[in-house]
Amino acid sequence: QEDPEYIKIRDFINSLEAHLIEAHRQAGRLVKKEGDYGAALSEFAAASEALGSHDDGALKNAFSVMNTHAAKVATQCRAHSE
C-alpha cells in the first residue's frame, strides 16, 4: 500500500511533466514560426528593393526605407529563431 502523500506528489510531478512537455513543444513551434516570418520578411525586403529600383525620387526613397527596416526585422527574427 502506497503512502497517500507520495501518490499526491507523484501525480503532481506527472502533471507538471506533461505541462512542461507541452510548453517545450509550443516553444519549438514558436521558434519555427519566427524563422519562417524572418524568411518571408527577407523576401519582402528584396521585393521592395526591386520595386524601388524602378522609380526615382520620393517613391524610391520610401521603398529604400521600407527595405532597410524589413531587412533589420528579418535579421532579428532569424537571430531569435536560432
Side-chain angles (χ1 to χ4, degrees), residues 5-58:
E5 187 66 24
Y6 167 78
I7 294 172
K8 182 178 172 183
I9 291 172
R10 183 190 66 195
D11 290 346
F12 173 76
I13 289 174
N14 287 339
S15 175
L16 182 63
E17 182 180 24
H19 289 296
L20 287 173
I21 289 169
E22 182 59 26
H24 183 264
R25 190 174 326 167
Q26 292 294 335
R29 288 181 189 146
L30 180 62
V31 167
K32 183 185 179 318
K33 293 286 185 184
E34 191 168 17
D36 293 346
Y37 177 68
L41 202 50
S42 183
E43 291 175 18
F44 175 76
S48 68
E49 182 179 16
L51 281 171
S53 69
H54 296 291
D55 206 309
D56 291 326

Side-chain angles (χ1 to χ4, degrees), residues 57-68:
L59 189 57
K60 182 175 185 169
N61 291 336
F63 276 116
S64 176
V65 168
M66 187 167 50
N67 171 42
T68 301

